Amino acid sequence: MSNNWTRREFVKKTGTAAGALVLGGAFADFLAACASGTTGGGETNLEIFSWWTAGGEADGLAEMFKIYKNKYSSVKIINAAVAGGAGSNAKAVLATRMQGGKPPDSFQVHAGQELISTWVKADKMEPITSIWNSEGWDSVMPKDLKTIVSKGSDVWSVPVNVHRGNALWVNLAKAGSAITPGTGNNLDNFLSALGKAKAAGMAAPLALGSKGNWQVTMLFENNLVAVGGANFYRGLFTGASSWTDPNIKTALNYVKSMLNYVNSDNATIDWDQASGRVQAGTSVVTIMGDWAKGYFTANNWKPDTDFTGIASPGTEKTYMIVCDTFGLPKGAPDRANAINWIKVCGSQEGQAAFNPKKGSIPARTDVSPSIFDSIAQKFIAEFKTDSLTPSIAHGSAAPEAFASGLNDEMGQFVQKRDVNGSATNIAKLADQFLK
Ligand code: GAL
């Protein structure tokens, strides 16, 4: 497809372009092993840090813990998850621990800039290149994913999944035929469907949990793709597109219009509660990553019977990449156990157990689609041909400073709904952090 980003373009700004030069693989491995003074064995714990506490995501994590426990029964697993979607609380806790020299054994981190321009650049990680090679992951992981967890000649974490950030979740009993996939799935039709639902008496047809603001950043980034296309969106991070382009205000205007249809308590609830509103029928749709599917299935809702998931309005044939990975922090107290954890994360068994519950599709290409629900099967197929776009809200596209500045701005936007003011502030953030 002509519109597809090449592998090289996809990785250019998501990974390898940022950060300092690092040592070659074998030598860096050797130094890190000397520094940590551990060669394996003797440790009793495995502390895993994440923000997976909600329905679906917590279940996926539990599946991987089960596999680990079966293999290493004497190890005590400490689940150090900190609640708050997208790591809205966890990231600050992790930063404090890392800066204070108290890393967990392994932590959840998004592929791309969140990994490379934060932790790798700060020299807080050990490369996992030798694990990658000994596990033979080159033959089962897409090259695109490997590249966005790489810097220099090293690999720094293992992808456990691929989430789709641009997804619309629909309560089928409430939707009727108003919101359907296909050519009609554009922003204007979507807004008119919301208008009809509201006129028919549903106060908040579009459920939104904006606690932490990142969920509004998702609406904005999806709308940027919808109005400008994948090439325009990706160009925002390579310098090929401008943050003063009229598409920015158009995308904001669409967010503003969507806000007319959301629940007024959005600032006090998170994504999972918003998903719960769709399941309860208080709202008909929500726009959220496919961890929402994990939430629905964990709450006994049946894919393509009770609910469906499609590309968010206007973004068909694009896939907003949200890729969770696990890496090895320098000074991990239980280093050998952490290495075994990383192996489970990258294994076929681990990914087959984790992803159906998590809502994501596997990073590995050799996990059978037949173990997934019909929506995931569709997403697995679409991932292969869609144009890939890295998410800002979930750490791949832009450095943390830009992503968190944008989250704050989008929080302001929900309050003030000032398209011109926010567009100006966003352009300033881009000047400051993306050049
Ligand atoms: C994302 C993460 C997903 C999911 C979501 C909501 O940042 O990549 O795995 O957990 O947050 O918490």
Side-chain angles (χ1 to χ4, degrees):
M1 180 186 311
S2 61
N3 192 25
N4 264 356
W5 226 10
T6 63
R7 207 160 264 183
R8 186 183 305 156
E9 285 165 325
F10 180 72
V11 302
K12 202 165 167 189
K13 279 284 170 171
T14 50
T16 51
L21 277 178
V22 290
L23 294 166
F27 190 56
D29 275 350
F30 171 75
L31 285 185
C34 296
S36 68
T38 52
T39 51
E43 302 127 357
T44 50
N45 294 335
L46 173 74
E47 192 195 21
I48 299 302
F49 188 94
S50 77
W51 54 85
W52 291 335
T53 59
E57 54 184 25
D59 304 289
L61 183 61
E63 288 295 322
M64 282 207 296
F65 285 163
K66 239 187 261 171
I67 291 174
Y68 191 94
K69 201 71 195 159
N70 279 340
K71 287 186 196 291
Y72 313 103
S73 56
S74 63
V75 174
K76 183 173 169 227
I77 298 175
I78 301 165
N79 182 358
V82 175
S88 43
N89 304 316
K91 284 184 189 173
V93 176
L94 179 67
T96 305
R97 288 188 57 171
M98 295 287 278
Q99 276 147 22
K102 296 203 175 338
D105 290 316
S106 183
F107 62 89
Q108 172 196 358
V109 60
H110 290 124
Q113 295 282 334
E114 188 180 310
L115 169 72
I116 301 295
S117 77
T118 309
W119 301 118
V120 175
K121 191 176 180 183
D123 199 22
K124 295 285 186 194
M125 305 301 284
E126 282 195 48
I128 63 151
T129 319
S130 54
I131 308 173
W132 189 284
N133 291 337
S134 65
E135 294 300 294
W137 287 337
D138 268 352
S139 59
V140 288
M141 295 280 187
K143 177 97 184 359
D144 293 339
L145 295 187
K146 181 185 179 187
T147 312
I148 60 170
V149 292
S150 297
K151 171 74 195 160
S153 54
D154 274 310
V155 190
W156 298 90
S157 68
V158 62
V160 70
N161 66 3
V162 178
H163 270 302
R164 183 179 210 162
N166 59 324
L168 175 74
W169 302 98
V170 186
N171 177 327
L172 287 171
K174 292 278 169 186
S177 58
I179 299 167
T180 47
T183 49
N185 182 22
N186 62 46
L187 284 164
D188 292 324
N189 287 352
F190 179 63
L191 287 167
S192 106
L194 292 177
K196 281 183 197 146
K198 192 162 179 175
M202 187 181 272
L206 175 61
L208 175 67
S210 68
K211 195 176 181 182
N213 304 322
W214 56 273
Q215 307 87 340
V216 194
T217 300
M218 287 183 80
L219 296 180
F220 177 53
E221 67 186 15
N222 289 340
N223 287 357
L224 281 173
V225 174
V227 303
N231 281 336
F232 168 77
Y233 175 82
R234 294 179 303 224
L236 291 168
F237 310 101
T238 62
S241 310
S242 167
W243 284 92
T244 57
D245 189 285
N247 281 331
I248 305 293
K249 285 189 187 169
T250 309
L252 283 171
N253 261 312
Y254 276 117
V255 177
K256 184 174 174 178
S257 301
M258 288 175 176
L259 292 174
N260 292 330
Y261 301 104
V262 304
N263 40 295
S264 56
D265 64 349
N266 61 81
T268 65
I269 67 169
D270 207 339
W271 68 272
D272 52 330
Q273 290 157 289
S275 305
R277 302 270 172 99
V278 175
Q279 187 167 10
T282 323
S283 298
V284 61
V285 286
T286 191
I287 292 173
M288 189 39 59
D290 49 10
W291 45 93
K293 177 165 67 69
Y295 172 91
F296 291 136
T297 55
N299 287 288
N300 302 316
W301 233 19
K302 294 215 170 4
D304 284 330
T305 302
D306 299 318
F307 73 101
T308 197
I310 58 174
S312 65
T315 69
E316 276 175 15
K317 306 227 179 302
T318 70
Y319 214 100
M320 185 67 79
I321 299 292
V322 180
C323 177
D324 295 309
T325 77
F326 282 86
L328 185 60
K330 280 190 174 167
D334 309 286
R335 185 173 177 277
N337 294 347
I339 287 171
N340 287 336
W341 167 252
I342 286 166
K343 289 179 181 168
V344 168
C345 291
S347 69
Q348 190 190 42
E349 186 189 11
Q351 300 209 356
F354 173 73
N355 286 291
K357 299 233 166 168
K358 183 69 173 70
S360 37
I361 64 173
R364 286 178 70 118
T365 53
D366 63 347
V367 179
S368 170
S370 66
I371 63 168
F372 287 88
D373 62 66
S374 49
I375 298 170
Q377 287 181 6
K378 195 174 64 183
F379 284 9
I380 288 170
E382 288 173 357
F383 175 66
K384 290 186 187 146
T385 53
D386 281 358
S387 285
L388 309 183
T389 55
S391 168
I392 309 165
H394 303 283
S396 289
E400 191 64 24
F402 179 78
S404 65
L406 182 59
N407 285 345
D408 291 347
E409 186 57 40
M410 296 315 295
Q412 288 295 309
F413 186 74
V414 174
Q415 303 306 318
K416 298 188 193 150
R417 312 207 182 173
D418 174 5
V419 169
N420 291 335
S422 283
T424 302
N425 292 341
I426 292 167
K428 278 190 203 149
L429 285 171
D431 270 346
Q432 210 181 339
F433 298 117
L434 295 181
K435 293 219 158 137

